Amino acid sequence: MTTDPAGTGPAGTGPARAGPAGRPVAAAEEMVLASDDDREQAARRLRTAVEGGRLPLELLAPRLDDVYGARTRGELADACRGLPAPGPRDDLVVDSPPTSGRFVAGVFGGFVRKGRWVVPPRLTLWSMWGGGRVDLAQARFSSQDTEIRTVALWGGTRITVPDDIDVEVKGFGLFGVFGKGAARRTGRPGAPRVVIKGLALFGAVVTRTSTTGTEH
């Protein structure tokens, strides 16, 4: 097999990319046909890069044209050139229906929302002589902006948020406690924004921060 002038890959293919443990990645890997999901992920990556200031807005349209016209994964990679590789938490806002109702109540009982779930854009939590726990550490969001309204009447609710999203806590306690442990914290550029508001009356609402992706 002949090599290119640099001697790093088959003739005409350019330098071979290094894979795990220094092994070159076969050029054929870049010729795998791209799926519709591959194109949508690449498009979201470009939009996130614009929101985070990594890609100028005027470059978004031509790059999206390249993405939706791409036939192979190699062409998709070229459309996203210069951007950091996507991480496991890059797609926090998803085009999927919420997996929880907008109203969740614990009356003389409790409720739990945790693990991999899709949060609705408006979520109301009601604890009355009961308790509830909402964990957003591994959640995905159906909107860039999410509002969580929580009311604790002689009950308690704990809300855990990851450290890579924007959070604002605006609730208050009346003969109760509305904790603001996660208040006014800014996540990474382009991250979803969550506003937590409501009332604790003879009860408690606790907000806390967790390490990214760690469930509690």
Side-chain angles (χ1 to χ4, degrees):
M1 177 184 293
T2 59
T3 61
D4 65 8
T8 54
T13 65
R17 295 185 296 114
R23 295 190 299 272
V25 176
E29 200 171 293
E30 295 188 354
M31 297 302 294
V32 174
L33 292 178
S35 67
D36 288 341
D37 284 345
D38 292 333
R39 295 185 188 91
E40 288 302 325
Q41 290 176 13
R44 286 197 297 269
R45 186 177 168 192
L46 291 174
R47 295 187 182 101
T48 299
V50 171
E51 292 170 356
R54 295 180 180 273
L55 183 70
L57 179 61
E58 60 269 20
L59 295 183
L60 178 60
R63 293 254 193 146
L64 286 175
D65 288 342
D66 291 342
V67 163
Y68 289 114
R71 296 185 62 255
T72 67
R73 290 182 178 176
E75 292 172 350
L76 286 180
D78 186 58
C80 296
R81 63 191 178 277
L83 302 181
R89 299 264 307 161
D90 279 358
D91 291 329
L92 292 180
V93 180
V94 296
D95 186 17
S96 301
T99 55
S100 170
R102 295 190 176 190
F103 182 80
V104 182
V107 180
F108 295 102
F111 60 83
V112 176
R113 294 292 185 275
K114 62 182 292 187
R116 300 272 299 189
W117 63 295
V118 181
V119 185
R122 299 292 180 270
L123 179 63
T124 299
L125 310 174
W126 187 282
S127 298
M128 187 171 182
W129 288 294
R133 182 158 62 98
V134 171
D135 194 334
L136 304 178
Q138 296 184 25
R140 296 297 184 266
F141 301 87
S142 55
S143 174
Q144 188 70 28
D145 294 290
T146 300
E147 181 180 275
I148 298 178
R149 298 177 180 177
T150 179
V151 178
L153 303 177
W154 293 277
T157 300
R158 186 178 77 181
I159 303 173
T160 303
V161 298
D163 57 7
D164 61 347
I165 66 174
D166 295 344
V167 179
E168 183 176 0
V169 181
K170 303 167 67 174
F172 65 97
L174 181 62
F175 302 108
V177 176
F178 204 109
K180 299 185 178 181
R184 294 193 177 276
R185 189 174 41 75
T186 302
R188 57 182 171 78
R193 180 172 182 266
V194 175
V195 176
I196 302 171
K197 59 174 60 174
L199 168 69
L201 177 62
F202 295 104
V205 174
V206 176
T207 64
R208 56 180 295 187
T209 303
S210 72
T211 303
T212 300
T214 302
E215 188 176 275
H216 292 268

